[in-house]
Amino acid sequence: LSNASLAVAYCLIVRLGWKDKDKSKNRLPFVLTPFLISLVLAIAPLFGSNYNYNGGYSCYISGYPAGCEFDPNPQETCTRGAQARNMLLVAGLIPTLDAFFILTVAVVLLIHAVLVQERRMDQYQRAGRSRKMTMESFYQGMFYIGAFAISWIPFVVFGFKEYIFASVHKPSYYVMLAVTPLHGVMNAGVYFRPRLKAERERNPTDSTCKSLMQVLHIKCCCNRKSKEGAGDTPVITTDQQTEDDAEKGNEKKIQTNALAGDPKTATINLEAAQNAEIGSEKKVITSS
């Protein structure tokens, strides 16, 4: 439900032009409504003792003993949760399908709003019409819907198999256990995707690892991928790095030897070493 509420908020921001600093728009309902609905749906199965061990991995909306709700007369065989099948439909399956429907409609309306805005800008485009923002919104919306669908379709399949055919569909059950907890991870990937893409466009010579670490604000030692050329950062090869390190080591050695001698002549020796180094740099520049 929070995903559906967030999709509606994004849609209204684009269609109505809401700003972050617009205090006249109350955003509390988009946060509070999903919480209250989820709270009601979580409390409802308590009436009738519909929370029981389901014979699998947890306590959920099911009868007790496990599987008794599948009997023709569950009121006689179940000591708890005789109406668990109906409660699963009301408190689990229908809200999930409603959330998926609201999310999909909100994303479609958002993409349409971006398309309308770009059509209005066509008359000001010298190079012809552009649908870049529309396509970016489309892909982002499809990723958002896809993350929700991948996470919750196995639960819907499992729930309807249990409700309609009065049996547990084990394949969808195990898939549900594997993918439903990953919804947050997939949402994080959806949210970070535009930032990673923008980072790659700003620094095309960086490796994917380095760009990802920049987006996540993680300092790491990912290698830099670039080609030497016009406007590009030159590649530092291993041989060049070795020569640079050797040059720095020689400079430190010269300074140490100079300072280790007579204090009166240390400054003279150090200045002579620095002048020799400057002369060699000028010689390299002249020859190049």
Side-chain angles (χ1 to χ4, degrees):
L1 293 177
S2 60
N3 285 81
S5 178
L6 188 61
V8 173
Y10 284 149
C11 179
L12 295 177
I13 288 172
V14 174
R15 295 184 69 89
L16 302 181
W18 288 3
K19 304 297 183 182
D20 293 338
K21 298 182 180 180
D22 190 356
K23 298 182 180 180
S24 63
K25 306 300 180 183
N26 189 0
R27 290 168 174 77
L28 182 61
F30 296 101
V31 178
L32 193 59
T33 301
F35 173 77
L36 293 178
I37 295 177
S38 299
L39 186 63
V40 171
L41 295 177
I43 294 175
L46 292 174
F47 299 95
S49 301
N50 291 296
Y51 282 123
N52 300 286
Y53 176 61
N54 61 359
Y57 74 102
S58 66
C59 291
Y60 193 58
I61 302 175
S62 60
Y64 182 81
C68 68
E69 69 272 21
F70 301 141
D71 293 338
N73 296 315
Q75 289 81 5
E76 298 178 1
T77 56
C78 291
T79 58
R80 291 169 54 92
Q83 299 297 325
R85 288 174 60 192
N86 295 330
M87 186 59 65
L88 176 64
L89 177 68
V90 173
L93 298 176
I94 292 179
T96 303
L97 293 176
D98 289 343
F100 184 73
F101 175 77
I102 294 172
L103 185 151
T104 304
V105 171
V107 169
V108 171
L109 292 177
L110 186 151
I111 297 172
H112 179 264
V114 176
L115 177 61
V116 170
Q117 292 179 6
E118 285 197 320
R119 283 178 176 175
R120 293 175 180 173
M121 296 299 296
D122 285 345
Q123 56 182 330
Y124 305 105
Q125 299 291 337
R126 296 182 179 180
R129 66 179 188 177
S130 174
R131 297 293 179 264
K132 180 179 179 181
M133 296 300 298
T134 301
M135 295 307 300
E136 290 182 357
S137 301
F138 171 79
Y139 287 123
Q140 185 69 4
M142 291 303 103
F143 279 116
Y144 193 71
I145 294 174
F148 187 93
I150 293 173
S151 301
W152 291 102
I153 283 179
F155 167 75
V156 173
V157 172
F158 168 76
F160 274 108
K161 288 283 290 186
E162 181 176 339
Y163 178 76
I164 297 174
F165 299 102
S167 63
V168 176
H169 188 244
K170 290 186 177 180
S172 62
Y173 175 74
Y174 292 121
V175 174
M176 176 189 70
L177 296 183
V179 301
T180 302
L182 298 178
H183 190 193
V185 177
M186 288 186 281
N187 271 346
V190 172
Y191 297 140
F192 281 119
R193 191 189 73 88
R195 298 182 183 181
L196 178 61
K197 183 179 179 182
E199 178 66 24
R200 295 285 292 164
E201 291 176 353
R202 285 194 299 267
N203 301 290
T205 60
D206 285 353
S207 64
T208 303
C209 174
K210 185 175 180 63
S211 299
L212 182 60
M213 294 302 104
Q214 286 291 109
V215 171
L216 298 177
H217 301 287
I218 299 176
K219 294 182 179 180
C220 71
C221 53
C222 292
N223 294 327
R224 185 179 180 87
K225 267 193 327 185
S226 63
K227 295 182 179 180
E228 189 171 1
D232 293 337
T233 303
V235 178
I236 299 177
T237 62
T238 305
D239 295 335
Q240 291 174 338
Q241 186 67 36
T242 304
E243 293 175 1
D244 293 340
D245 294 339
E247 183 178 352
K248 292 178 181 178
N250 291 334
E251 180 182 352
K252 291 181 179 179
K253 185 176 181 181
I254 292 172
Q255 293 179 2
T256 304
N257 294 336
L259 294 175
D262 187 2
K264 296 181 180 180
T265 60
T267 305
I268 300 175
N269 294 335
L270 180 58
E271 290 177 355
Q274 291 176 347
N275 292 333
E277 183 181 356
I278 295 173
S280 62
E281 291 179 356
K282 291 182 178 179
K283 183 177 180 182
V284 171
I285 296 173
T286 304
S287 61
S288 61

